[in-house]
Amino acid sequence: NTAYTIVINNKDLIGNEEYAVNGMNSVSSTHPVGFSLYTDRTGDGFIENNQIYFNSNYLGSVGGSDNVNWQWNGAGVKGHFYYQNNQLFGLDDDVPNNTMSGTDGLADVSGYLENNATSCTFKLQHINYPFQNPAATNINLAYTFAYTTPCQPFETELTEDVELCRGDTAQLLATGGTSTGSAPAYEWLPQEDLSCYNCPNPVFSGDSSKIYTVRIWNTDSCSKVLPVKVKVLDAPHNINLSTSPATCSENNGVLQIGGVSGGKPPYSYNFAGSWITNPTAPIFSQFSAGEYTLTVRDQNQCFYSQPFTIEEVVPAIAAFSANPQEGTEALTVQFNNQSSGATDYEWTVEGETFTTFQHQHTFDSAGSYTVQLISWYNEPHCADTATATIIVHPDYTHSLFLPTLYDNPGAAYTIQTTNVAHIRYELFNTIGQRLYHVEQEVNNGPTELWYGGSYATGYYFFRIRFTNVEGQQFEEKGKVLVVR
């Protein structure tokens, strides 16, 4: 069974690089183990400038231009080979022995490994710049191992490369792993932007593209390392919107799209169940007032949704005049409708409702009354409301009924009151002498003041001061004829 391991240079130490390789499948050292270099151009021309050590064993010095790129001065060393039927075969100018030299970037390192080894180390040290001098120009890119392993083949599956839109998530899936004891069956690297790293089906939620590898273990502690690429596509992330309001009860609101940020044009737009494709800034009309959501789709089938609101304008403005707005009972008020932008009206006066444009009403009793006018455009919810307060005072000119004839000496002298709270009554003879007076609280209706049985026939004069229910004071004078 053949296995391979590829190590990619991720170091800046171009003068002295050391690597530790772990997690290899068991290496059978009884068969060749191919170790090759892949380097780029150097500044030393054809000079052998890089010393190679494997598990602390010196393999030789390499440098110059490989046969495949000889026309470029110092174009680098490439170790070419193939591994088949437990045998290592060199290609081009590369020899499958246990050394490296010049542009020969291939070595059989089986003699430097223990049987069933799963790790190794190697070092590349520049001859002229062995202490990691930044002036060194060697560029070592990658290193390859190919070997025979006692590990038995096992079936695995891995999610194919994934494309998703930024902001979306994708589930990766690996199968074929078997855990032994507490050791996991899967290991995902790098450990970034995944929901789990030791599970078969992590969920990716990153916002940039990544290449992951998953190591899948079998029951014999052997493993496969498989790659999967997750490509994150730029997606729309903002829509520049402007709106014009709709008249209440009408579909004349307007949406204008000024542009889309992100994603790949052309864009399609959806806000009513159907898609409209327009690469320019479109204008959509016939909206009623309300809450909406606009969804944009780009060429990569990436979606973005953004809510918007069409405001409502109520054209009806309720207004009216009341003439007069204050007076005494019974008060007749003329209401003049001064509304604008309305098609229908509703008056409410003393609990009654009227729909006439103008309205006249008589308030028979004293009090404070609220009059309301609702004016609307086409539909009752497209309404505006205006109110006014009408003040009606008692008619104090009819607050008292004062009898001027007293012809029943056996009965009380009684007056009739309306809207009166307090009375002070005084009775005088013809020469101005006060004969009688009384003060008392009263209610609406008849009030007994005095009995005139002991008074002689003739005229008497009275003066009455009363306080009405609103606290105002008035005075009345008159005369009364006593007849026996």
Side-chain angles (χ1 to χ4, degrees):
N1 299 318
T2 300
Y4 63 89
T5 299
I6 299 175
V7 179
I8 305 297
N9 185 357
N10 62 350
K11 301 177 181 295
D12 294 327
L13 312 178
I14 59 177
N16 190 347
E17 302 171 13
E18 295 187 17
Y19 296 84
V21 182
N22 298 297
M24 301 170 66
N25 283 328
S26 298
V27 177
S28 174
S29 62
T30 60
H31 299 89
V33 177
F35 170 50
S36 72
L37 307 179
Y38 189 93
T39 72
D40 206 345
R41 302 186 65 181
T42 69
D44 294 335
F46 292 95
I47 300 174
E48 298 178 3
N49 52 24
N50 230 340
Q51 297 178 334
I52 314 300
Y53 297 85
F54 185 86
N55 278 351
S56 301
N57 297 286
Y58 179 63
L59 301 182
S61 299
V62 298
S65 294
D66 206 86
N67 281 349
V68 297
N69 45 244
W70 58 268
Q71 67 269 41
W72 304 101
N73 182 26
V77 177
K78 279 79 175 172
H80 299 98
F81 70 95
Y82 72 94
Y83 197 96
Q84 183 177 3
N85 294 329
N86 302 329
Q87 295 297 315
L88 178 63
F89 299 91
L91 299 174
D92 192 37
D93 57 355
D94 299 294
V95 181
N97 57 16
N98 62 355
T99 64
M100 292 183 180
S101 178
T103 58
D104 174 13
L106 174 66
D108 176 4
V109 295
S110 59
Y112 308 124
L113 288 166
E114 294 183 359
N115 196 35
N116 294 324
T118 58
S119 63
C120 65
T121 62
F122 63 92
K123 180 174 72 170
L124 295 86
Q125 188 170 24
H126 199 284
I127 295 175
N128 297 325
Y129 308 104
F131 303 109
Q132 305 172 13
N133 189 313
T137 56
N138 249 18
I139 302 176
N140 303 308
L141 302 179
Y143 319 96
T144 304
F145 294 86
Y147 52 93
T148 299
T149 178
C151 293
Q152 296 302 306
F154 62 100
E155 295 295 326
T156 59
E157 291 185 8
L158 180 63
T159 303
E160 296 182 358
D161 291 348
V162 175
E163 283 191 358
L164 73 159
C165 302
R166 181 173 287 111
D168 291 344
T169 61
Q171 187 170 63
L172 309 182
L173 180 64
T175 64
T178 305
S179 60
T180 55
S182 60
Y186 304 90
E187 181 185 31
W188 295 84
L189 294 174
Q191 294 190 357
E192 299 173 355
D193 300 328
L194 296 180
S195 61
C196 57
Y197 304 106
N198 299 114
C199 62
N201 53 351
V203 176
F204 173 83
S205 57
D207 59 4
S208 60
S209 300
K210 283 187 174 61
I211 296 178
Y212 288 98
T213 61
V214 56
R215 183 181 291 272
I216 305 174
W217 275 275
N218 199 5
T219 54
D220 55 5
S221 298
C222 295
S223 63
K224 291 182 180 180
V225 178
L226 303 175
V228 60
K229 181 178 181 181
V230 180
K231 184 177 181 181
V232 178
L233 303 173
D234 186 29
H237 57 268
N238 183 62
I239 312 173
N240 183 16
L241 301 178
S242 60
T243 60
S244 298
T247 303
C248 185
S249 78
E250 295 186 4
N251 300 328
N252 57 3
V254 176
L255 166 68
Q256 181 170 356
I257 303 175
V260 179
S261 299
K264 185 177 181 180
Y267 304 103
S268 298
Y269 308 96
N270 188 320
F271 51 78
S274 60
W275 290 97
I276 299 174
T277 301
N278 190 339
T280 61
I283 298 177
F284 303 107
S285 58
Q286 298 183 342
F287 283 95
S288 60
E291 304 290 333
Y292 297 89
T293 297
L294 174 67
T295 299
V296 62
R297 178 182 64 194
D298 72 353
Q299 188 177 14
N300 290 327
Q301 300 300 304
C302 293
F303 296 82
Y304 174 76
S305 295
Q306 185 167 315
F308 67 94
T309 301
I310 298 294
E311 301 292 345
E312 183 176 72
V313 174
V314 178
I317 300 176
F320 67 92
S321 64
N323 186 33
Q325 198 163 338
E326 184 174 359
T328 57
E329 58 183 359
L331 180 65
T332 298
V333 180
Q334 179 68 40
F335 297 102
N336 294 312
N337 193 332
Q338 298 174 336
S339 300
S340 62
T343 58
D344 298 273
Y345 311 94
E346 181 179 279
W347 298 88
T348 302
V349 184
E350 288 196 277
E352 297 184 37
T353 300
F354 306 90
T355 58
T356 55
F357 183 75
Q358 308 292 350
H359 184 65
Q360 179 175 297
H361 186 78
T362 299
F363 298 89
D364 295 321
S365 303
S368 177
Y369 300 89
T370 298
V371 177
Q372 175 179 275
L373 171 63
I374 300 177
S375 302
W376 70 81
Y377 177 78
N378 290 341
E379 296 183 8
H381 75 276
C382 304
D384 188 37
T385 302
T387 60
T389 300
I390 306 300
I391 305 298
V392 180
H393 300 285
D395 184 357
Y396 299 116
T397 60
H398 300 89
S399 293
L400 296 175
F401 173 70
L402 301 173
T404 57
L405 176 65
Y406 177 61
D407 58 358
N408 185 3
Y413 180 77
T414 303
I415 66 173
Q416 187 77 21
T417 63
T418 303
N419 299 314
V420 173
H422 183 269
I423 287 180
R424 176 183 173 84
Y425 184 85
E426 295 175 289
L427 187 67
F428 301 89
N429 58 21
T430 55
I431 61 174
Q433 293 176 317
R434 189 174 73 176
L435 305 177
Y436 173 81
H437 77 279
V438 65
E439 290 191 39
Q440 63 184 41
E441 303 295 325
V442 297
N443 296 313
N444 287 343
T447 301
E448 297 180 352
L449 292 181
W450 51 279
Y451 290 87
S454 59
Y455 290 85
T457 299
Y459 282 98
Y460 297 86
F461 297 90
F462 65 84
R463 178 172 62 195
I464 182 170
R465 292 191 179 98
F466 63 92
T467 304
N468 64 27
V469 293
E470 294 183 349
Q472 299 172 309
Q473 292 187 340
F474 299 86
E475 184 175 288
E476 293 284 345
K477 295 180 180 180
K479 63 182 179 179
V480 58
L481 175 62
V482 175
V483 178
R484 290 183 179 278

